[in-house]
Amino acid sequence: MNEWELWRQDDNGARFRIRGYADRMAAIAGRLVIEAGMPHKQLYWVAGPSTPTCPTPGAAAERIQALSADREPTAAAFLAAFRYMGASLRDDRRLEPATVAALFQVAWEHAETGPARGSASDPACAPEGEGEPVQAPALDRARDHLVHAAAFLRAWDPNADLRRQDLLDLVTRVPH
């Protein structure tokens, strides 16, 4: 049974169901994959029950830390995929924890496992006029970025706004 559905509205206002999902995070991840890359005129959204599947930053941290260790991308490839997959979230004023966890999941799954084509210090991976430029990965392993992000999210105030730039800062800077 698919409780969550990914929908699209085209530029003429017609609405189409793209796919059903059993899990909200999987549906959000599907939306992020579709929206990655070239900007779309279409509007995409996830519809389903109003109960959150990942209600707090701490719950997002648990999902992030549970990502598979069987296939670990390079740190640079993970950061590049994180930036690319999260581009559509640029204008969102507040990211819900399920979206944060889905972004980490989709970046982890789509990052190349071999040497990265570009690094986080590449101009193609730098934020477009947002905050400071993304730095080259200071942590050697992509999994270290997940552990750092999970620890940060566990301490994040659930009532505070979490934006895409906050996530970019989080994954590209090493704790002091």
Side-chain angles (χ1 to χ4, degrees):
M1 181 174 137
N2 297 321
E3 288 191 68
W4 301 96
E5 296 178 328
L6 179 57
W7 285 81
R8 178 186 128 211
Q9 180 175 316
D10 66 20
D11 45 346
N12 294 321
R15 295 177 176 201
F16 304 93
R17 180 184 175 275
I18 296 174
R19 183 174 171 197
Y21 295 87
D23 179 77
R24 177 170 169 74
M25 276 187 37
I28 294 169
R31 188 192 100 209
L32 291 171
V33 169
I34 288 173
E35 291 180 336
M38 298 294 288
H40 296 275
K41 290 181 182 179
Q42 295 84 12
L43 172 68
Y44 296 92
W45 71 94
V46 172
S50 60
T51 54
T53 56
C54 197
T56 65
E62 296 305 315
R63 293 273 191 129
I64 290 166
Q65 207 153 6
L67 291 171
S68 175
D70 296 340
R71 177 203 164 283
E72 183 171 348
T74 65
F78 170 70
L79 294 175
F82 189 89
R83 163 119 182 70
Y84 180 75
M85 292 296 177
S88 66
L89 303 173
R90 175 184 312 108
D91 298 326
D92 291 9
R93 294 183 56 95
R94 180 182 177 134
L95 300 178
E96 64 178 62
T99 301
V100 172
L103 174 56
F104 275 89
Q105 176 184 331
V106 76
W108 188 263
E109 291 171 355
H110 286 82
E112 296 177 14
T113 54
R117 281 188 230 162
S119 71
S121 59
D122 241 346
C125 297
E128 305 91 10
E130 298 179 33
E132 298 176 33
V134 173
Q135 300 170 359
L139 297 172
D140 292 334
R141 296 180 53 227
R143 177 147 305 277
D144 294 337
H145 288 277
L146 297 182
V147 170
H148 170 59
F152 173 84
L153 288 169
R154 281 189 191 92
W156 189 265
D157 177 359
N159 299 315
D161 289 345
L162 186 61
R163 300 169 303 115
R164 178 175 168 263
Q165 183 62 42
D166 297 325
L167 294 178
L168 287 171
D169 291 345
L170 170 63
V171 297
T172 58
R173 285 159 182 77
V174 180
H176 301 327

